[in-house]
Amino acid sequence: QVQLVESGGRLVQAGGSLRLSCAEASGRSIRTYDMGWFRQAPGKEREFVATISWSDSSIYADSVKGRFTISRDNIKNTVYLQMNSLKPEDTAVYYCAARLRGNAKYDYWGQGTQVTVSS
């Protein structure tokens, strides 16, 4: 069972930067998993932010392209989301997720970390 723990969320001013981390906590390797970041703002549906495949290719939502960067460290079993030029509309709970390569659905989710961007 993959267990994901996010960290790094906090209050930040617009234009600032944050780096979120997602660590696998059960000791399993994430090497064969695609990893994703999603977010959910109050009153809105959860939305896709970015994903990085097991082979290190990445895809971003249009709303964050050019500002956010997803990366992974398979030695540390950790995935990162570097967020620059933050906007108030980036305020949300950010969730990390994992899916075994070849699967369509994300099977494992973290508990989320709150990011608040003040104007």
Side-chain angles (χ1 to χ4, degrees):
Q1 182 87 355
V2 171
Q3 294 178 11
L4 303 173
V5 179
E6 301 97 333
S7 61
R10 62 175 175 86
L11 173 65
V12 63
Q13 285 193 329
S17 297
L18 275 181
R19 189 176 81 156
L20 305 183
S21 299
C22 169
E24 201 294 318
S26 72
R28 292 181 70 107
S29 171
I30 64 168
R31 190 176 302 274
T32 56
Y33 288 82
D34 300 331
M35 303 297 295
W37 284 97
F38 294 77
R39 66 186 181 186
Q40 187 166 20
K44 293 190 176 181
E45 298 282 317
R46 186 168 59 194
E47 65 174 2
F48 165 77
V49 175
T51 186
I52 186 164
S53 73
W54 64 274
S55 59
D56 233 24
S57 63
S58 54
I59 300 172
Y60 297 90
D62 287 344
S63 58
V64 306
K65 211 173 286 185
R67 299 188 298 123
F68 291 11
T69 303
I70 189 170
S71 61
R72 65 191 297 157
D73 184 333
N74 289 336
I75 304 297
K76 294 183 179 178
N77 275 332
T78 300
V79 177
Y80 304 97
L81 186 69
Q82 177 66 43
M83 306 188 293
N84 299 328
S85 303
L86 282 160
K87 304 175 181 179
E89 51 264 43
D90 294 319
T91 295
V93 177
Y94 282 71
Y95 297 92
C96 176
R99 68 181 179 198
L100 193 60
R101 67 181 183 188
N103 285 1
K105 187 165 95 63
Y106 283 90
D107 297 305
Y108 304 102
W109 294 82
Q111 82 291 347
T113 186
Q114 175 71 48
V115 172
T116 303
V117 184
S118 65
S119 54

